[in-house]
Amino acid sequence: MTVDDTTSGAGAEPPSDPSVHPTPHHEVDHTAEPTDDPLAIRLEQLILGADRRYTPFQAARTAGVSMDLASRFWRAMGFADIGQARALTEADVLALRRLAGLVEAGLLSEPMAIQVARSTGQTTARLAEWQIDSFLEGLTEPPEPGMTRTEVTYPLVELLLPELEEFLVYVWRRQLAAATGRVVQAADDEEMVDRRLAVGFADLVGFTRLTRRLEEAELGELVEAFETTCADLVAAHGGRLIKTLGDEVLYAADDARTAAEIALRLIEAMTQDETMPALRVGIAFGTVTTRMGDVFGTTVNLASRLTSIAPKDAVLVDGAFAEELTRTGDAPASEAQAAEEAAAAEKERQNGVEPTSGPKYRYGLQPMWQRPVRGLGVVEPWLLARRGTS
């Protein structure tokens, strides 16, 4: 049956022309039929709040969206192709209408709507996987002999779902408010996308050797402890955790002082934990491009390279970062300058005069040997350390 533009109604059959629901030539067709397991269907209905009603073609037509655009939205959200199985609900139709409506109203361009779908899908997919793997898996252990996990899962999900949904919306609104605040404080429109930030990588030393020596459970506990410590310290001191990569974390801060404090606190926390391997941190300061919550550019690459050459339990920074700490008065231009200022303040005290302003530097900077860095030319790293008390 061939469908043309005059065909309407949710019950219309899908078009036979494969171009209407194309599979890009560079992708494998991950066509997946939805499960028919009775419990899985009941859980799906509970979570989605609706029954399966539409095929993808019917959902697209009901939403007033082309099949091509609907397919791109669904793939961007991370949903597998399901052919023309009847597996979609009213919520799927509403989501298509909302995205398409934002485009039609001129609030979002079509590429931006695809980005919204992709970023939301990637973030929530990771959250959902974590909740199932680490949260529900432990809670659904049968409490009594003879009970199956499936008998426990449904009532547990029924109780948790509204609470988790409310909490998710609360955290999202909080994060959205913080991100919006940073944007409106930008100096100009260009700074909203290309901003000057401090970017830091923290990397566990010898992690590959650990993967061969530790059991899977032990390795998982170590990674979780590392990521938790990093996330807590970055947030507590005003930075933003960009992403975690198992043995490495990437964070950003609006100013050099914040990034420096986070780096040194991470080193101090790891050295106090005997179960943790050594840590090394690299930080660079400069223009950074932000996309979908991630950061890109030469500054990010330089921070990564500095991390790879940093000594154990130490922090290496680039010249721009060192200059920024000096400019804000958080570090002396040189140790000689700091010594001269300290001597002058001491002399005033000996003469019975209380110094009006003595050196109160938070950090010290030691220049290291210049060295070539792959893809970035010759750089002069600086070793960052703490001076006195913070």
Side-chain angles (χ1 to χ4, degrees):
M1 176 177 179
T2 302
V3 179
D4 57 26
D5 292 337
T6 62
T7 306
S8 61
E13 292 297 322
S16 58
D17 183 0
S19 65
V20 180
H21 189 183
T23 298
H25 68 276
H26 59 279
E27 294 184 8
V28 177
D29 184 6
H30 296 290
T31 302
E33 291 293 328
T35 178
D36 291 325
D37 180 84
L39 177 64
I41 292 176
R42 286 183 63 217
L43 281 170
E44 178 187 282
Q45 291 172 341
L46 171 66
I47 295 171
L48 297 181
D51 296 333
R52 297 175 178 182
R53 179 176 177 183
Y54 301 105
T55 67
F57 176 74
Q58 292 168 344
R61 291 300 295 266
T62 304
V65 177
S66 72
M67 192 65 218
D68 176 66
L69 183 59
S71 296
R72 284 189 284 144
F73 278 148
W74 284 323
R75 289 177 182 177
M77 286 184 276
F79 302 144
D81 293 342
I82 58 171
Q84 288 302 324
R86 192 180 297 273
L88 303 181
T89 70
E90 290 289 349
D92 296 297
V93 173
L94 181 59
L96 286 177
R97 282 178 180 161
R98 281 176 171 160
L99 279 174
L102 291 172
V103 175
E104 291 173 3
L107 296 173
L108 293 178
S109 65
E110 189 172 304
M112 181 59 68
I114 297 292
Q115 282 194 1
V116 168
R118 180 171 292 110
S119 61
T120 306
Q122 289 176 354
T123 302
T124 53
R126 184 178 181 186
L127 175 63
E129 289 289 345
W130 178 87
Q131 288 174 332
I132 294 300
D133 292 343
S134 303
F135 189 49
L136 288 179
E137 184 176 346
L139 291 178
T140 54
E141 287 291 342
E144 298 178 10
M147 290 189 69
T148 65
R149 173 168 286 177
T150 56
E151 291 173 323
V152 180
T153 300
Y154 189 93
L156 183 64
V157 171
E158 192 172 27
L159 289 172
L160 285 175
L161 186 62
E163 301 300 326
L164 291 177
E165 183 177 17
E166 290 291 333
F167 186 70
L168 174 63
V169 173
Y170 155 73
V171 175
W172 171 72
R173 285 183 178 273
R174 269 288 178 187
Q175 294 287 5
L176 188 64
T180 303
R182 290 193 294 269
V183 168
V184 299
Q185 293 174 29
D188 50 45
D189 290 344
E190 289 186 3
E191 193 177 333
M192 291 184 185
V193 177
D194 297 318
R195 307 169 57 194
R196 286 179 63 77
L197 297 175
V199 177
F201 279 92
D203 176 57
L204 291 175
V205 180
F207 185 77
T208 302
R209 290 193 300 274
L210 280 176
T211 60
R212 294 193 291 265
R213 182 163 55 87
L214 297 180
E215 298 290 336
E216 287 186 7
E218 295 176 311
L219 192 62
E221 291 174 0
L222 184 145
V223 169
E224 184 175 355
F226 170 63
E227 291 184 349
T228 300
T229 299
C230 292
D232 289 348
L233 285 173
V234 169
H237 293 281
R240 297 187 297 284
L241 188 67
I242 304 299
K243 58 186 172 184
T244 60
L245 304 170
D247 62 331
E248 188 175 59
V249 299
L250 169 62
Y251 71 92
D254 293 328
D255 58 84
R257 176 194 290 184
T258 298
E261 189 63 28
I262 290 171
L264 293 172
R265 298 254 181 191
L266 287 173
I267 295 290
E268 292 159 1
M270 292 298 124
T271 54
Q272 291 171 8
D273 189 342
E274 296 180 354
T275 65
M276 284 290 176
L279 186 72
R280 54 191 177 189
V281 182
I283 316 176
F285 185 84
T287 301
V288 175
T289 298
T290 59
R291 289 286 188 278
M292 294 174 60
D294 208 343
V295 290
F296 306 92
T298 302
T299 302
V300 180
N301 295 337
L302 179 54
S304 177
R305 300 289 190 272
L306 289 171
T307 306
S308 66
I309 62 175
K312 293 180 180 180
D313 296 326
V315 182
L316 277 189
V317 304
D318 74 326
F321 187 91
E323 288 178 8
E324 189 66 12
L325 278 183
T326 301
R327 184 187 68 79
T328 57
D330 291 300
S334 67
E335 288 301 314
Q337 174 189 326
E340 288 176 5
E341 292 175 354
E346 182 60 28
K347 186 175 181 179
E348 289 182 358
R349 291 192 189 94
Q350 291 174 357
N351 292 333
V353 179
E354 187 63 28
T356 56
S357 61
K360 297 179 181 178
Y361 299 118
R362 289 171 173 260
Y363 313 109
L365 292 164
Q366 177 185 341
M368 308 292 284
W369 292 104
Q370 290 186 353
R371 64 190 71 189
V373 174
R374 179 168 53 88
L376 297 171
V378 177
V379 299
E380 181 182 4
W382 296 70
L383 189 65
L384 175 73
R386 195 182 295 285
R387 290 177 60 91
T389 58
S390 59

